[in-house]
Amino acid sequence: MDDWIEIDTLIEARWIIPVDPGEIVLNQHAIAIDKGIIKDILPISKANLRYNPQQTITLNDHALIPGLINLHTHAAMTLMRGFADDVPLMEWLNNHVWPVEHQHVNAQFVLDGTQLACAEMIRGGITCFNDMYFFPESCVEAAISSGMRATIGMIVIDFPTAYASDADDYLAKGLDLRDQYHQHPLLSFCFAPHAPYTVSDKAFNHILTYAEQLSTPIHTHLHETQDEIRMSLESTGMRPIERLHQLGLLGPNVIAVHMVHLTDHEIKLMHQYGCSIAHCPSSNMKLASGFAPIPSLLNQGVNVGLGTDGAASNNRLDMFEEMRQAALLAKAISGKADSLPAHQALRMATLNGANALGLGEKIGSLTIGKAADITAVNFSDLNLTPCYDPVSHLVYTASREYVSHVWVNGRMLLQDKELTTLSQLELQHRSALWHERIATTSKH
């Protein structure tokens, strides 16, 4: 015992699914964690001889996977969940969402809505989210209070809101926030110009300059609907991707969200410039935007991650649902049952998202030396019996309701399905207050 290695935590599990490398599934293995870092992954029998943990967590019926990464969301919009359903995107934005935002969105709205979203995401096995919304300082506060990892969007849009007056003001406030928190171990930042139809060439040029200086990702909606493309052709004579190409925006730091309507040339451009895609299948279907050509993008070698979009257009922040939808839609679109297999869908929800955010060296797989961002899924339920392939089960059979434990940086945020950092009762109370305000002052 004298030569045992002292560590903080040892998690023993039925399966460990590292994601990288390949399709490996480790049986009866343990993860050794110390100071928030994965120190070792080894058979349980060897772990018990090598390590002296302060705590041992035994999960006999569980699979451990990397924490899921939500590559695109508007977290605070949980407070508008179900407010304006069954209408197309531009009507949804112009007649419902933007009027409510104009009337109600402030720093407290974003704090309360984002904490509500964090609770939902943690309970669903999500450990990191990439956000785009107003008052990002409130998103920072919510992420820190919940213990989640987050990429904070420095939003830019060419019209005034309660948050900022114009594109320069948005940029200045976002950069000030980044300066305050860019050393925080759980926070990173990206530029978040809303979309080509709401951001001018001048603003995009400023963003590009800053992004190159700061080596920071650019996260934007792109080619979401046919209307967006038609409006771009009418106003600029170019499709949105071509416009961004001419501005010099395309590059490996770009996270293009939705990317539903693409030509073969545009798909090749995405590969040529190393852009990443945030695929949001549920939102694309709910807003009738269409089916993104994910099989073609994957065949070209484009990095594709998964996002939920906001709860106002999904209406779930559920990455298990997105994995399943992505895999099934790819098969239906391509006519090939093997076009997006389960292990690839899981990789899209984890390591691909991390790579898109520039965080692939830190998170996205269960790898020695990476942060201990881990999700445990309980396979003991009758609905998951029998299990021939745990990866297949994760994508095609399991749901977020089977998530039992979640760790971020080695800290447990969910223990036996109970939140450890956020109060469910408090969140329900604040949500009810916002519901009353919005319901009594808004038409929909």
Side-chain angles (χ1 to χ4, degrees), residues 28 96 153 162 254 336 354 401:
Q28 299 295 340
H96 301 280
V254 167
K336 297 178 181 178
E401 284 73 26

Side-chain angles (χ1 to χ4, degrees), residues 272-303:
Q272 178 184 341
Y273 285 93
C275 303
S276 291
I277 310 297
H279 178 38
C280 305
S282 295
S283 179
N284 292 344
M285 287 189 287
K286 185 166 180 286
L287 291 172
S289 300
F291 304 116
I294 298 303
S296 298
L297 287 159
L298 294 174
N299 288 338
Q300 281 287 331
V302 177
N303 182 56

Side-chain angles (χ1 to χ4, degrees), residues 6 47 56 60 114 121 124 153 160 172 174 181 183 203 257 365 410 424:
E6 302 283 340
T56 298
N60 290 325
T114 305
M121 288 190 282
Y181 288 99
Q183 295 293 343
V257 184
S365 63
Q424 183 171 327

Side-chain angles (χ1 to χ4, degrees), residues 148-162:
M148 286 189 76
R149 195 179 298 276
T151 297
I152 309 299
M154 297 179 283
I155 190 167
V156 178
I157 197 165
D158 265 343
F159 56 74
T161 63

Side-chain angles (χ1 to χ4, degrees), residues 311-324:
S313 67
N314 184 316
N315 298 19
R316 299 157 62 97
L317 306 181
D318 183 349
M319 287 290 287
F320 281 85
E321 181 78 3
E322 302 310 317
M323 282 195 288
R324 177 176 165 82

Side-chain angles (χ1 to χ4, degrees), residues 423-437:
S423 165
Q424 183 171 327
L425 287 175
E426 176 64 22
L427 291 172
Q428 287 173 323
H429 171 68
R430 284 188 274 153
S431 175
L433 291 176
W434 282 109
H435 171 258
E436 183 177 1
R437 287 185 208 175

Side-chain angles (χ1 to χ4, degrees), residues 151 154 189-192 207 211 215-219 253-255 356-358:
T151 297
M154 297 179 283
F189 288 81
C190 66
F191 291 99
I207 289 165
S215 298
T216 301
I218 300 171
H219 168 212
N253 64 337
V254 167
I255 303 167
L357 295 171

